[in-house]
């Protein structure tokens, strides 16, 4: 246990003089699972990219198995025995498991690939991981969790000493997650070291031997898992007490139901979804990745079809395509801000007027009324304190994540909707801007709107919502209402419901 | 995962995947019913012989399509490469074998020119090969002043000969198909072509020599087009200024009809053979049954449209399936 596989000594990585990782020293013992946690932008990815050979450190040195280690490219890292299992798997779905494992270095016979030798080796790897698929199975026929195991098989094939997992469980079912943990357990017993990056702190507690917490590129806390409860992890990650992270809610939901959803079903996606949101209420929607939250949002907004069920706002049924639903008072802040929520290269003002382009378009001879557009943007800037230099010239791309999100919200505010569906609004947004977005959510509710707040970050839901609804595999498994039951939300129960375990 | 699908859906999948074979069977049965002689060995042999021209080029372009690329210049390469071979044969009083080598080599060089602009300069394949479509044909017209070019009679003798009763075009067609099959299925290069087409960025990350692969596929497509032109010229004995014009679309249609996807990563050499043969079967059949000559292009268009439609349906289907994994479907 005592010998060290990977040593990082005073690693600093700067981008244009701004440090993303500063003066970080960390040791990874053999046969250990080391949890790396931290908020978005804390430097985890940069650190992993340095280890994985994607980018060289500005200062500092690394040692791997006692030897100096300075990879120039990802290929060097692979050769030295470091495997990186990305969130987005790097597999070719049109090829077999065997082909994927051997795609850069197939065994050969007579100038051609030796399928038989490759398959025998693959079978041995699959046996080690208990994958019950033939080596010639196409990757496209595998479930997400099985695909990940193929990635692990690839790492084993290259005899990796250090395996880096980046958020490995986000697209897995609970059963697949349990299986992955079994495999990681086995890898550890096998003497391999694992760097495990995750936002799911309970997983980190369950799985890791040691935890390293990053904040603003620095290692702010480190220690054996025995000394690390979740509260300490959170404290270390955010550097202050939890309570100051969220604004106080300024209103209570009114008694009057504004949004009524009845029995929405779509085979293979969601089943029998019913809920209500009162005017002035923030209803949270929690679930693991792939639970069907965003799919439900798309159905509510009219982007995807539903076989059964209805949605009404203020007693009037809402139906038809998204365009109709926007008119009927729905706003959808999507989780993919860059690709779906904004025209990244268009100026801020044009983005803000998008949802109300029908009104702006009534200038002289049907041309766009640029002055009205500008006035709208100007108002949004002062209203939401969007930090931008020039509303009509600056492209949205040039704004920070938080300000981009404000532009999306401003766009919808202009359409004066009643129901806001907000999907992962704080993803890729730094802590300070998060607070502002939370304050905006609070304001939306205080103005009497209904808000459906979708998130995978339990803490922000707990901090902001009046009630929290939990989805698992396309169904609502539980709804928590602190006014009725416990005085506050119970994390354990919420997580259990998300994992589809029985709540007592 | 297929276990989760219903019987009806599985049947639909099967029809989509085997669409070409099913259409082929229907077409053969239909024409055979209309004119029993159509199914005679002589006619069938003729069809295969005539499909060699489009078929060889279709096998070549399959490599390009696998990498999400396109090669619009094949029709012009079919014209220019044999023309260069003709000049070489005349200049050096060379044999047919020399002509064959030069046609393939010239095709490869023309393909390499495409590859240079696409890989080294990063210009879209569509734009590059659209430009070379005009440039290659224009160069040929410049060399000949748009006049007909006559080959030595020895070439025609070769083109119309047979080995063990099998006509030369069919033999060449078969050899090309076999070679392409071996390369795609049984070499690392072939597997990397599929991998690149499936996920170009992933291929870079995995350490696959992407530029080399992309260069190679355009060279292969050019060489195949040069060879295919030469095989047909060898049967005619001369080359007109309009030779091969517009044939790029037949070639693409044959490959796509044979299951190659314009979205990359899907397609086989055997598929290209079947696709080309199907197109030829339809046009022979239409002539055989005396369908109005002017209706034939419309029916051909129908087939091409159908091929692309099937490709889109397959894609759509894959997308649906990817989404389907949230929850099991209640039965």
């Amino acid at each position: 246990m005592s010998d060290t596989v990977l040593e990082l000594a005073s690693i600093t990585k700067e981008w244009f003089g701004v440090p993303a990782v500063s003066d970080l020293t960390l040791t990874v013992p053999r046969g250990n699972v080391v949890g790396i946690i931290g908020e978005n932008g804390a430097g985890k990815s940069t650190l992993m990219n340095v280890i994985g050979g994607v980018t060289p450190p500005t200062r500092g040195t690394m040692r791997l198995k006692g030897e100096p280690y300075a990879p120039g490219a990802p290929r060097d890292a692979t050769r030295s025995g470091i495997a990186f299992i990305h969130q987005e798997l790097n597999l070719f779905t049109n090829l077999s498991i065997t082909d994927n494992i051997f795609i850069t270095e197939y065994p050969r016979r007579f100038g051609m690939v030796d399928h038989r030798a490759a398959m025998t080796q693959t079978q041995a790897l699959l046996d080690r991981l208990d994958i019950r698929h033939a080596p010639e199975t196409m990757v496209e026929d595998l479930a997400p969790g099985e695909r990940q195991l193929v990635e692990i098989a690839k790492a084993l094939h290259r005899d990796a000493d250090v395996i880096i997992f980046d958020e490995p469980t986000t697209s897995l079912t609970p059963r697949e997650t349990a299986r992955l943990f079994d495999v990681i357990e086995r890898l550890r017993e096998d003497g391999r070291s694992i760097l495990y990056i995750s936002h799911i702190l309970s997983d980190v507690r369950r799985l890791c031997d040691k935890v390293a917490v990053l904040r603003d590129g620095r290692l702010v806390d480190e220690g054996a898992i025995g000394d690390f409860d979740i509260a300490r992890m959170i404290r270390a990650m955010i550097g202050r007490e939890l309570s100051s992270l969220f604004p106080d809610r300024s209103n209570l939901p009114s008694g009057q139901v504004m949004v009524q959803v009845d029995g929405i079903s779509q085979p293979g996606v969601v089943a029998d979804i019913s809920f209500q949101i009162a005017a002035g209420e923030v209803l949270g929607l929690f679930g693991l990745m792939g639970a069907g939250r965003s799919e439900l949002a798309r159905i509510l907004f009219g982007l995807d079809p539903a076989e059964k069920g209805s949605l009404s706002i203020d007693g009037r049924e809402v139906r038809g395509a998204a365009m109709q639903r926007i008119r009927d008072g729905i706003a959808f802040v999507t989780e993919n801000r860059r690709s779906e929520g904004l025209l990244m290269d268009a100026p801020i003002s044009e983005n803000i007027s998008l949802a109300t382009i029908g009104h702006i378009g009534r200038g002289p001879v049907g041309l766009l009324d640029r002055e009205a557009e500008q006035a709208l943007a100007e108002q949004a800037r002062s209203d939401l304190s969007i930090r931008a230099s020039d509303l009509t010239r600056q492209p949205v791309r040039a704004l920070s994540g938080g300000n981009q999100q404000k532009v999306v919200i401003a766009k919808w505010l202009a359409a004066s909707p009643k129901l806001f569906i907000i999907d992962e609004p704080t993803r890729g947004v730094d802590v300070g801007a998060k607070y502002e977005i939370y304050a905006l959510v609070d304001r939306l509710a205080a103005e009497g709107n209904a808000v459906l707040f979708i998130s995978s970050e339990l803490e922000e839901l707990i901090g902001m919502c009046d009630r929290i609804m939990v989805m698992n595999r396309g169904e609502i498994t539980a709804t928590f209402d602190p006014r009725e039951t416990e005085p506050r939300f119970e994390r354990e129960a919420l997580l259990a419901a998300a994992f589809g375990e029985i709540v007592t | 995962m297929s276990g989760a699908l219903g019987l009806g859906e599985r049947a639909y999948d099967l029809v989509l995947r085997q669409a070409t074979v099913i259409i082929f069977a229907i077409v053969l049965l239909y024409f055979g019913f209309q004119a029993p002689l159509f199914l005679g060995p002589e006619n069938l042999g003729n069809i295969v012989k005539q499909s060699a021209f489009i078929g060889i080029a279709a096998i070549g372009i399959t490599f390009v399509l696998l990498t999400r690329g396109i090669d619009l210049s094949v029709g012009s390469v079919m014209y220019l490469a044999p023309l260069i071979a003709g000049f070489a044969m005349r200049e050096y009083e060379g044999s047919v074998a020399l002509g064959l080598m030069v046609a393939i080599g010239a095709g490869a060089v023309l393909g390499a020119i495409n590859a240079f602009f696409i890989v080294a300069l990063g210009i879209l394949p569509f734009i590059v090969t659209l430009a070379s479509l005009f440039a290659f044909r224009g160069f040929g017209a410049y060399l000949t002043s748009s006049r007909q070019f006559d080959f030595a009679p020895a070439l025609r003798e070769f083109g119309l000969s047979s080995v063990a009763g099998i006509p030369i075009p069919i033999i060449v067609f078969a050899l090309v198909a076999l070679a392409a099959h071996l390369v795609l299925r049984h070499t690392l290069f072939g597997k990397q072509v599929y991998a690149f087409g499936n996920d170009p960025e992933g291929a870079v990350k995995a350490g696959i020599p992407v530029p080399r692969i992309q260069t190679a596929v355009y060279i292969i497509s050019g060489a195949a087009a040069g060879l295919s032109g030469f095989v047909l010229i060898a049967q005619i004995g001369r080359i007109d200024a309009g030779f091969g014009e517009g044939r790029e679309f037949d070639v693409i249609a044959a490959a796509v009809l044979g299951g190659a996807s314009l979205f990359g990563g899907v397609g086989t050499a055997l598929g290209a053979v079947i696709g080309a043969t199907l197109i030829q079967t339809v046009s022979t059949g239409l002539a055989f049954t005396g369908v109005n000559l002017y209706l034939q292009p419309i029916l051909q268009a129908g087939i091409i449209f159908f091929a692309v439609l099937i490709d889109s349906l397959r894609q759509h289907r894959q997308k649906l399936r990817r989404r389907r994994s949230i929850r099991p479907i209640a039965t």
Side-chain angles (χ1 to χ4, degrees):
Chain A
M1 277 304 218
S2 60
D3 74 324
T4 297
V5 171
L6 180 67
E7 283 178 78
L8 311 179
S10 311
I11 294 287
T12 297
K13 174 71 199 177
E14 291 175 353
W15 299 109
F16 309 108
V18 181
V21 170
S22 29
D23 196 25
L24 192 141
T25 300
L26 182 70
T27 57
V28 180
R30 180 171 294 283
N32 258 223
V33 181
V34 178
I36 310 277
I37 60 174
E39 292 206 284
N40 292 332
K44 290 171 299 182
S45 314
T46 307
L47 180 62
M48 293 309 129
N49 283 338
V50 167
I51 298 174
V54 179
T55 169
T58 315
R59 282 187 294 282
T61 54
M62 296 185 274
R63 291 177 85 79
L64 184 63
K65 290 174 275 183
E67 306 281 310
Y69 167 68
R75 220 184 291 184
D76 298 339
T78 310
R79 277 202 209 106
S80 316
I82 288 187
F84 200 154
I85 296 177
H86 294 266
Q87 214 167 344
E88 307 252 314
L89 299 181
N90 202 355
L91 292 175
F92 304 105
T93 52
N94 61 343
L95 294 174
S96 69
I97 297 176
T98 308
D99 289 344
N100 268 286
I101 290 175
F102 291 93
I103 191 66
T104 46
E105 19 143 30
Y106 236 101
R108 287 179 215 216
R109 245 178 73 189
F110 311 123
M112 296 203 183
V113 297
D114 187 349
H115 279 123
R116 196 171 303 169
M119 291 225 200
T120 318
Q121 289 185 46
T122 306
Q123 189 62 57
L125 289 170
L126 297 184
D127 289 344
R128 272 169 79 183
L129 294 172
D130 272 340
I131 306 175
R132 272 171 240 279
H133 281 285
E136 64 267 26
T137 312
M138 289 291 179
V139 168
E140 65 191 350
D141 293 328
L142 300 176
E146 294 169 326
R147 293 185 190 190
Q148 196 168 49
L149 292 176
V150 173
E151 281 279 12
I152 299 174
K154 241 162 79 180
L156 285 182
H157 168 63
R158 289 175 188 152
D159 202 26
D161 297 290
V162 179
I163 305 176
I164 304 171
F165 287 91
D166 186 6
E167 295 283 356
T169 59
T170 44
S171 55
L172 302 191
T173 63
R175 192 183 303 170
E176 287 171 337
T177 304
R179 191 162 165 206
L180 173 70
F181 289 179
D182 271 357
V183 169
I184 291 180
E185 200 63 51
R186 240 184 286 172
L187 294 173
R188 178 199 351 228
E189 280 161 21
D190 211 23
R192 294 174 205 280
S193 306
I194 285 154
L195 291 174
Y196 188 87
I197 304 173
S198 180
H199 281 308
I200 305 179
L201 302 180
S202 51
D203 286 356
V204 172
R205 247 192 90 68
R206 188 162 139 201
L207 201 63
C208 299
D209 302 299
K210 181 179 166 181
V211 181
V213 186
L214 268 61
R215 186 174 76 230
D216 302 328
R218 292 174 186 283
L219 185 69
V220 289
D221 200 358
E222 187 193 0
I225 196 69
D227 311 327
F228 247 107
D229 56 7
I230 288 182
R232 178 171 162 196
M233 291 184 199
I234 293 174
R235 262 200 314 275
M237 280 193 322
I238 60 183
R240 52 182 146 149
E241 288 302 321
L242 192 62
S243 56
S244 61
L245 254 186
F246 302 98
D248 285 331
R249 285 292 307 281
S250 43
N251 70 307
L252 285 173
S254 73
Q256 177 200 357
V257 172
M258 185 176 226
V259 175
Q260 173 89 36
V261 172
D262 275 315
I264 287 190
S265 296
Q266 169 72 8
V269 184
V270 294
D272 200 22
I273 304 285
S274 300
F275 60 87
Q276 301 170 337
I277 312 177
E281 182 177 33
V282 180
L283 173 64
L285 178 52
F286 180 64
L288 304 177
M289 199 77 98
R293 294 164 304 164
S294 302
E295 286 77 4
L296 175 62
R298 289 178 60 89
I299 288 173
L300 294 176
F301 192 57
L303 293 174
D304 285 336
E307 199 180 75
K308 281 201 291 266
S310 69
L311 159 68
S312 52
I313 296 177
D314 281 337
R316 276 185 50 223
E317 185 163 357
V318 177
R319 50 171 77 229
M323 213 160 91
Q324 182 59 42
R325 292 184 191 218
I326 291 172
R327 268 184 232 131
D328 288 342
I330 305 186
F332 181 30
V333 177
T334 100
E335 62 177 330
N336 303 315
R337 183 166 63 232
R338 286 155 192 279
S339 59
E340 295 173 356
L342 291 166
L343 306 175
M344 294 299 284
D345 293 309
I348 299 159
S349 56
E350 283 182 23
N351 270 283
I352 290 176
S353 68
L354 267 184
T356 41
I357 199 86
H359 306 294
I360 302 286
R362 296 213 189 104
V365 278
L367 296 177
L368 286 180
D369 184 348
R370 289 290 180 193
E371 276 171 29
E373 187 180 83
Q374 224 169 313
L376 185 67
E378 206 54 64
Q379 198 198 331
R381 163 150 73 181
S382 61
D383 207 17
L384 306 183
S385 57
I386 297 171
R387 277 180 288 279
S389 54
D390 187 337
L391 292 173
T392 51
R393 291 215 203 100
Q394 198 174 11
V396 168
R397 191 180 293 282
L399 298 180
S400 72
N403 280 297
Q404 287 178 1
Q405 196 63 283
K406 285 187 209 163
V407 171
V408 179
I409 294 173
K411 170 181 80 178
W412 289 118
L413 278 175
S416 41
K418 293 174 183 143
L419 166 62
F420 277 85
I421 303 171
I422 303 184
D423 196 358
E424 303 280 5
T426 59
R427 184 183 286 173
V429 165
D430 62 64
V431 182
K434 270 185 183 178
Y435 187 90
E436 287 183 89
I437 288 171
Y438 296 140
L440 261 174
V441 170
D442 173 60
R443 199 180 105 190
L444 293 177
E447 285 168 3
N449 298 298
V451 179
L452 181 63
F453 190 158
I454 304 174
S455 176
S456 8
E457 284 182 42
L458 200 45
E459 303 306 332
E460 70 182 13
L461 290 179
I462 291 174
M464 289 305 299
C465 296
D466 298 302
R467 284 183 303 145
I468 299 179
M469 188 159 78
V470 183
M471 271 183 98
N472 176 270
R473 306 183 124 225
E475 287 171 51
I476 292 175
T477 45
T479 304
F480 297 87
D481 186 346
R483 284 164 299 179
E484 282 173 14
T485 51
E486 307 89 18
R488 47 193 293 271
F489 292 113
E490 291 291 333
R491 274 184 195 83
E492 305 285 307
L494 280 158
L495 263 176
F499 273 101
E501 287 156 15
I502 291 148
V503 191
T504 49
Chain B
M1 296 234 86
S2 58
L5 298 176
L7 193 65
E9 298 201 27
R10 247 183 290 173
Y12 180 59
D13 263 359
L14 189 74
V15 169
L16 275 189
R17 213 168 293 166
Q18 302 300 333
T20 309
V21 174
I22 293 169
I23 297 168
F24 210 148
I26 294 172
V27 165
L28 280 179
L29 284 176
Y30 173 78
F31 287 126
F33 191 71
Q34 295 281 313
L37 265 181
F38 186 81
L39 295 179
E42 195 185 338
N43 188 50
L44 291 185
N46 257 328
I47 289 176
V48 178
K49 188 171 127 191
Q50 285 163 4
S51 9
F53 169 53
I54 294 299
I56 292 169
I59 292 169
I61 210 172
T62 297
F63 283 81
V64 171
L65 295 181
L66 278 171
T67 62
R68 301 190 180 185
I70 190 85
D71 185 353
L72 296 176
S73 70
V74 286
S76 299
V77 175
M78 283 170 172
Y79 166 66
L80 181 56
L83 189 64
I84 294 171
F87 279 110
M89 286 164 77
R90 189 181 281 175
E91 191 72 18
Y92 301 103
E93 288 171 19
S95 60
V96 173
L98 173 85
L100 186 70
M101 304 297 273
V102 173
I104 296 174
V109 169
L110 297 175
I113 294 174
N114 282 333
F116 171 75
F117 287 101
I118 293 165
V119 181
L121 302 186
I123 306 172
L124 282 181
F126 185 93
I127 305 293
V128 170
T129 58
L130 183 64
S132 58
L133 180 160
F134 293 109
F136 294 165
R137 185 161 295 280
F139 186 62
Y142 168 76
L143 287 179
T144 58
S145 309
S146 278
R147 276 192 295 267
Q148 176 181 317
F149 183 96
D150 292 297
F151 284 76
L155 180 68
R156 193 139 188 269
E157 272 165 39
F158 163 77
L160 296 177
S161 65
S162 313
V163 175
I166 305 170
I168 283 289
I170 296 186
I171 292 176
V172 177
F173 192 16
L175 286 177
V176 170
L178 181 69
H181 176 79
L182 287 178
V183 168
L184 284 178
R185 289 282 148 189
H186 295 275
T187 66
L188 188 57
F189 168 74
K191 299 203 178 278
Q192 293 182 338
V193 167
Y194 280 97
F196 175 69
N198 184 252
D199 183 356
E201 218 188 297
V204 177
K205 279 195 214 150
I208 291 173
V210 165
R212 211 161 72 204
I213 285 178
Q214 237 187 332
T215 305
V217 295
Y218 287 95
I219 292 178
I220 290 171
S221 175
L227 175 61
S228 94
F230 192 78
V231 164
L232 186 56
I233 299 293
Q235 297 170 65
I236 307 169
R238 62 184 159 73
I239 192 162
D240 300 316
F243 181 83
E245 210 158 10
R247 289 308 193 146
E248 52 278 354
F249 295 109
D250 294 348
V251 171
I252 294 167
V256 173
L257 202 51
S261 170
L262 295 172
F263 304 94
V266 181
T268 60
L270 187 66
V273 172
I274 293 175
T277 317
L278 173 55
I279 287 185
Q280 189 58 45
T281 306
V282 172
S283 77
T284 308
L286 293 175
F288 219 85
T289 49
V291 171
N292 185 334
L293 199 66
Y294 296 105
L295 277 179
Q296 290 185 15
I298 297 177
L299 288 163
Q300 297 273 12
I303 292 183
I304 293 171
F305 172 77
F306 194 74
V308 179
L309 177 73
I310 296 272
D311 186 28
S312 307
L313 285 178
R314 267 191 296 241
Q315 282 293 321
H316 185 63
R317 195 94 188 113
Q318 276 194 353
K319 246 189 232 161
L320 277 184
R321 200 183 284 181
R322 249 174 258 141
R323 268 179 128 166
R324 181 150 283 172
S325 52
I326 294 174
R327 52 178 279 116
I329 305 216
T331 44

